[in-house]
Amino acid sequence: MPGQGGGNKEKQKFVYLDNSYHGDTVGSVSVGGIDLFHRLYKPLLFDGYKVPSPYCYRCPMGKEKGSCGMACLEPLEELLAARGREIASLIIEPLVQGAAGMITSPPGYLKRVREICTSYNVLMIADEVAVGFGRTGKMFACEEEGVAPDIMCLAKGITGGYLPLGATLTTDEIFEAFLGSHEEQKTFYHGHTYTGNPLAGAAALANLEIFDKKQVITGLQPKIELLTKGLATFYALPWVGEIRQKGMMIGIELVQNKATKEPFPFALNIGHRVTLEARKRGLITRPLGNVIVLMPILSMSEEELTEVLDITYTSIKAVCADIVGKGLVTG
């Protein structure tokens, strides 16, 4: 393995988090932790090690948020202590597990993951495809906790969403492992059909120039504060179990019983019902099961963001009250 592993060929395994999502190729599905998405492909996948995710609202360790001491990290450290010699890397979505329903990690979690990886000579891969380029309030989510990954995966926001483009950043140590004379054949030979697409590259450069000249990240802060303040009012609704926000990424988890955290039955398709109601009111958003996802574009005005919140609130209230009124749930 290049980089920290120093060419150790025993290091061939990957660690990934429960509830994680990293893409749809065989390799990325192999390190995906959402059973609903990935179980069908199990016969095709390579084996890795799955560890708990920091889903504080429904803690996999049975702990209470705020007093758990981040117990969900204990299985990771135990795994690396026992199997570190065969583990090449850990892959993680920094701060927010998007496809899982906007699961946000507690403060200090990401930094501790970095420390554990370093302690056991395991590379850390940060999948910033969804969280990068301002989504969490920083240019990159890793900046939030001063973390420098060994490999960073980028896409989506790199072009402002106008054209598909991906990029992989590495440390100098990993990059230099692929350098050498022609005879050594150390080149990374395979690639994608659209690698180096000049039009996508031009879109990315233009987007980066906008980030710089218009100080996009600085301009996000009052918008994030507006969202935080507005979202706090959602807790008045008896069906809002938890609101998870990191910058411009929001997940509103709906439950039929707030005290017990009992979810709405899957058959009711509550998230879809809410998004259809929102669409009638002029807002297009999406659900992830019982979680309503809001990912407003960075250039939205404060007035537009207020409208997004108002429509979402009204739509949740209308749909859930209707379901309870019809006796479909006991809420």
Side-chain angles (χ1 to χ4, degrees):
M1 183 183 72
Q4 293 180 15
N8 186 346
K9 293 184 179 180
E10 294 178 2
K11 284 179 168 283
Q12 297 185 11
K13 297 290 186 180
F14 288 80
V15 179
Y16 59 98
L17 273 62
D18 192 18
N19 297 309
S20 61
Y21 177 82
H22 299 288
D24 294 331
T25 64
V26 169
S28 56
V29 171
S30 295
V31 290
I34 302 177
D35 193 49
L36 181 64
F37 291 3
H38 302 127
R39 65 171 176 261
L40 183 66
Y41 306 100
K42 188 66 176 175
L44 303 174
L45 310 180
F46 60 73
D47 291 327
Y49 294 110
K50 182 166 68 174
V51 296
S53 68
Y55 191 177
C56 296
Y57 185 61
R58 303 186 185 277
C59 177
M61 313 299 289
K63 305 286 187 179
E64 290 296 324
K65 184 176 181 179
S67 61
C68 64
M70 289 193 284
C72 55
L73 281 171
E74 292 172 8
L76 171 61
E77 186 148 24
E78 290 168 2
L79 172 65
L80 297 194
R83 301 283 186 178
R85 290 180 177 231
E86 64 184 76
I87 294 171
S89 184
L90 172 143
I91 183 166
I92 186 171
E93 300 158 88
L95 302 187
V96 184
Q97 289 185 297
M102 299 300 193
I103 296 175
T104 54
S105 59
Y109 176 88
L110 182 66
K111 186 173 184 179
R112 183 61 188 140
V113 169
R114 169 73 275 186
E115 291 169 351
I116 293 171
C117 287
T118 301
S119 296
Y120 294 97
N121 198 29
V122 169
L123 297 177
M124 177 181 167
I125 302 173
D127 178 353
E128 294 237 10
V129 169
V131 299
F133 294 97
R135 273 285 158 201
T136 65
K138 300 283 188 180
M139 190 63 170
F140 300 112
C142 283
E143 293 180 61
E144 186 78 25
E145 298 192 0
V147 165
D150 299 289
I151 299 173
M152 181 184 284
C153 306
L154 303 174
K156 297 185 187 296
I158 194 172
T159 64
Y162 282 94
L163 286 170
L165 181 72
T168 303
L169 280 59
T170 73
T171 61
D172 287 340
E173 186 180 7
I174 294 173
F175 175 74
E176 289 167 1
F178 293 94
L179 299 181
S181 65
H182 176 69
E183 292 77 14
E184 291 179 273
Q185 298 183 340
K186 296 173 72 175
T187 300
F188 198 68
Y189 281 101
H190 65 279
H192 294 284
T193 300
Y194 290 102
T195 295
N197 181 279
L199 192 57
L205 290 172
N207 184 51
L208 292 173
E209 185 176 1
I210 290 172
F211 266 96
D212 183 32
K213 288 187 175 180
K214 295 195 173 184
Q215 297 185 318
V216 171
I217 301 300
T218 301
L220 288 178
Q221 306 317 308
K223 297 179 183 181
I224 293 169
E225 291 173 11
L226 181 149
L227 288 170
T228 301
K229 184 177 179 179
L231 287 166
T233 67
F234 280 53
Y235 280 114
L237 295 172
W239 310 283
V240 173
E242 184 179 51
I243 299 167
R244 298 185 283 271
Q245 180 196 7
K246 187 62 70 172
M248 303 289 278
M249 302 181 75
I250 299 157
I252 304 167
E253 184 162 346
L254 304 180
V255 293
Q256 63 171 308
N257 188 310
K258 190 176 291 193
T260 64
K261 304 181 184 178
E262 183 182 0
F264 282 100
F266 185 79
L268 278 181
N269 207 2
I270 188 73
H272 184 60
R273 291 177 185 235
V274 171
T275 57
L276 288 180
E277 183 68 24
R279 192 179 304 174
K280 289 190 292 187
R281 300 170 186 273
L283 173 65
I284 296 176
T285 185
R286 66 170 293 191
L288 285 166
N290 290 335
V291 178
I292 307 303
V293 172
L294 299 178
M295 286 187 68
I297 59 174
L298 306 188
S299 59
M300 270 192 178
S301 67
E302 293 188 17
E303 290 76 15
E304 289 169 327
L305 291 172
T306 298
E307 186 175 5
V308 167
L309 292 174
D310 290 344
I311 292 174
T312 303
Y313 184 100
T314 303
S315 300
I316 292 172
K317 183 178 181 179
V319 169
C320 293
D322 181 61
I323 287 175
V324 171
K326 290 176 178 177
L328 298 177
V329 295
T330 58

